[in-house]
Amino acid sequence: MRYRLAAAALAIAAIFSISPSANAFQVGAGRRVRVDNYRVERDVRPGRNWVVGRAVNISGRRLRDVRVRFRVFDARGRQIGWASDGIMDMRAGQSWRFRASAAGNVSRAKFASADGR
């Protein structure tokens, strides 16, 4: 019985310790841009971080002014700001490696939106 409880506790802890962005698959409003596999990267300069990942144009047509946006959080789980990046032109099916700047001591990011016109 103790073994089962310990195993269950470890399984639950593992689920909650995985970053929600580890294998995220998000589609922006309007289903034009898909964002997946994003993560927070720390810069060597203090207080400078990046949310990096991949966005794909799934609209079937060329998009202009594509933007990805993330809410960023500190170690206590408080939102401390936003991170965003953009590209001016994306062909249908094109993949784009974004690098959204995030100021502060960022521990994690949460996908907010991705879209283009």
Side-chain angles (χ1 to χ4, degrees):
M1 182 68 169
R2 283 186 188 173
Y3 176 75
R4 287 183 188 163
L5 285 174
L10 285 173
I12 291 169
I15 289 169
F16 287 106
S17 68
I18 294 172
S19 168
S21 62
N23 289 307
F25 174 80
Q26 304 286 333
V27 178
R31 301 191 185 273
R32 294 182 197 130
V33 179
R34 184 184 76 216
V35 173
D36 52 15
N37 296 327
Y38 64 91
R39 68 186 180 284
V40 173
E41 284 186 355
R42 293 186 182 258
D43 199 321
V44 294
R45 293 171 287 181
R48 186 68 170 232
N49 304 285
W50 305 95
V51 179
V52 298
R54 186 174 73 118
V56 180
N57 177 351
I58 59 171
S59 71
R61 63 183 179 88
R62 181 178 295 267
L63 294 175
R64 307 266 185 226
D65 193 24
V66 176
R67 291 220 145 302
V68 292
R69 192 168 176 188
F70 299 87
R71 294 171 50 191
V72 293
F73 301 86
D74 65 9
R76 292 185 179 181
R78 295 178 297 201
Q79 183 176 346
I80 56 173
W82 294 86
S84 66
D85 195 8
I87 187 171
M88 293 304 295
D89 189 37
M90 246 179 125
R91 295 180 318 275
Q94 181 181 347
S95 177
W96 164 51
R97 294 249 177 232
F98 60 83
R99 188 173 181 183
S101 177
N105 192 11
V106 178
S107 290
R108 69 179 183 92
K110 183 176 180 182
F111 176 77
S113 64
D115 211 354
R117 313 182 228 169

